[in-house]
């Protein structure tokens, strides 16, 4: 069964809340399964997700993605827990590491131990959603005062999807996350990559279907297919040449 998703954000004319409202309401009324907001070095994801939560009734709301270097795990738990509250339990957490260019030269944070950081963010967010006192002895985070969120989350667990590229991070996704957000996988390789993900999940004692896979592709309706292909080529070239070694590899 295929499920449709839409991504919201600034258009060519900039951020237009009225356009976004119309887009998400039409999507919601049409049965679109999920509405997603991205975040890089432009508009933030959480403002857009709050608007989407307020203007929809059925569609799930997801971040694709928020990086784990720009905010603490507790801050992200507050953000996502609040969004789950205002949306009535429709939030999907989408996390990734981004890359050294953005993390070090936009956020000013060392791009170090990204995989371990992702794992600890998953643990800490899950603990806070579940109401478990935050006593956590990680390799990066050591939290010993037993904090809990000062509001009651709608759900004891919000699904966490991970945007992962290299084999180690994909394996971590298969073992610990609820979903995978792949990117830049050639169409003829996607089936084997998903099969490997599910095999790793089984080896970790999980059901093969425990990890949802969101399509890395986009459906575009256009009368100018070559112009659309050129836009995609340009985006791929930008990631390969300018956004760090992960994308190149």
């Amino acid at each position: 069964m295929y499920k449709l998703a839409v991504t919201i954000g600034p258009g060519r004319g900039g951020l237009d809340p009225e356009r976004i409202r119309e887009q998400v309401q039409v999507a919601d009324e049409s049965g679109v399964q999920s509405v997603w907001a991205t975040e890089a070095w432009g508009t933030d994801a959480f403002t857009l997700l709050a608007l989407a939560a307020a203007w929809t009734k059925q569609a799930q709301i997801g971040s694709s993605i928020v990086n784990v270097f720009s905010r603490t795990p507790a801050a992200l738990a507050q953000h996502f827990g609040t969004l789950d509250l205002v949306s009535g339990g429709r939030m999907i957490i989408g996390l990734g590491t981004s890359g050294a260019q953005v993390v070090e030269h936009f956020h000013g944070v060392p791009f170090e131990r990204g995989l371990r950081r992702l794992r600890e963010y998953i643990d800490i967010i899950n603990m806070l959603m579940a109401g478990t006192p935050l006593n956590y002895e990680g390799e990066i985070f050591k939290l010993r005062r037993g904090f809990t969120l000062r509001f009651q989350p709608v759900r004891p667990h919000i699904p966490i999807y991970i945007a992962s590229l290299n084999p180690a991070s994909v394996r971590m996704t298969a073992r610990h996350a609820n979903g995978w957000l792949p990117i830049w996988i050639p169409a003829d390789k996607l089936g084997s990559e998903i099969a490997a993900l599910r095999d790793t999940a089984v080896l970790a004692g999980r059901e093969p279907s425990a990890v949802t896979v969101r399509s890395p592709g986009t459906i575009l309706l256009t009368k100018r297919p070559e112009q659309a292909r050129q836009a995609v080529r340009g985006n791929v070239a930008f990631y390969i040449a300018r956004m760090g070694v992960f994308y190149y590899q």
Side-chain angles (χ1 to χ4, degrees), residues 124-140:
I124 293 167
I125 291 171
N126 283 340
M127 289 177 70
L128 286 169
M129 289 302 111
T132 304
L134 195 54
N135 294 300
Y136 185 78
E137 194 70 20
E139 295 178 16
I140 297 173

Side-chain angles (χ1 to χ4, degrees), residues 22-248:
E22 181 180 4
Q23 182 183 7
V24 298
Q25 287 182 339
V26 168
D28 195 46
E29 292 166 3
S30 301
V32 166
Q33 190 258 350
S34 54
V35 174
W36 299 76
T38 63
E39 182 176 284
W41 52 91
T43 54
D44 79 283
F46 292 105
T47 302
L48 297 177
L49 291 170
L51 293 174
W55 289 333
T56 56
K57 297 178 181 179
Q58 304 176 79
Q60 292 180 289
I61 312 297
S63 59
S64 178
I65 62 170
V66 169
N67 80 71
V68 294
F69 287 91
S70 58
R71 300 170 182 85
T72 67
L76 287 180
Q78 289 176 289
H79 281 307
F80 289 122
T82 303
L83 283 166
D84 206 44
L85 186 65
V86 299
S87 68
R90 292 184 283 130
M91 190 68 221
I92 299 172
I93 299 172
L95 301 177
T97 61
S98 187
Q101 302 278 24
V102 174
V103 170
E104 295 190 347
H105 300 288
F106 184 67
H107 293 291
V109 178
F111 186 67
E112 299 172 350
R113 306 195 69 189
L115 181 59
R116 182 64 204 179
R117 182 175 287 266
L118 266 176
R119 172 62 196 280
E120 294 193 13
Y121 271 62
I122 293 172
D123 291 343
I124 293 167
I125 291 171
N126 283 340
M127 289 177 70
L128 286 169
M129 289 302 111
T132 304
L134 195 54
N135 294 300
Y136 185 78
E137 194 70 20
E139 295 178 16
I140 297 173
F141 295 97
K142 301 182 187 302
L143 311 168
R144 299 175 178 135
R145 294 296 297 271
F147 278 96
T148 56
L149 292 173
R150 293 188 66 181
F151 64 91
Q152 181 62 47
V154 176
R155 295 177 288 174
H157 175 74
I158 300 175
I160 298 178
Y161 289 22
I162 298 296
S164 48
L165 288 171
N166 65 53
S169 61
V170 173
R171 288 193 296 270
M172 190 277 293
T173 300
R175 292 168 182 150
H176 301 288
N178 304 108
W180 182 34
L181 302 170
I183 191 172
W184 305 137
I185 297 177
D188 62 345
K189 302 291 185 184
L190 186 57
S192 60
E193 293 293 327
I194 292 174
L197 175 89
R198 301 214 185 285
D199 288 344
T200 301
V202 170
L203 290 173
R206 309 179 76 189
E207 292 294 324
S209 60
V211 185
T212 300
V213 180
R214 186 185 179 207
S215 170
T218 299
I219 297 171
L220 182 64
L221 303 179
T222 180
K223 294 180 180 180
R224 300 177 179 178
E226 187 51 41
Q227 184 178 354
R229 291 189 184 98
Q230 189 58 39
V232 173
R233 292 187 191 107
N235 198 26
V236 173
F238 173 77
Y239 269 80
I240 291 172
R242 296 289 297 159
M243 289 295 288
V245 296
F246 291 139
Y247 303 103
Y248 175 81

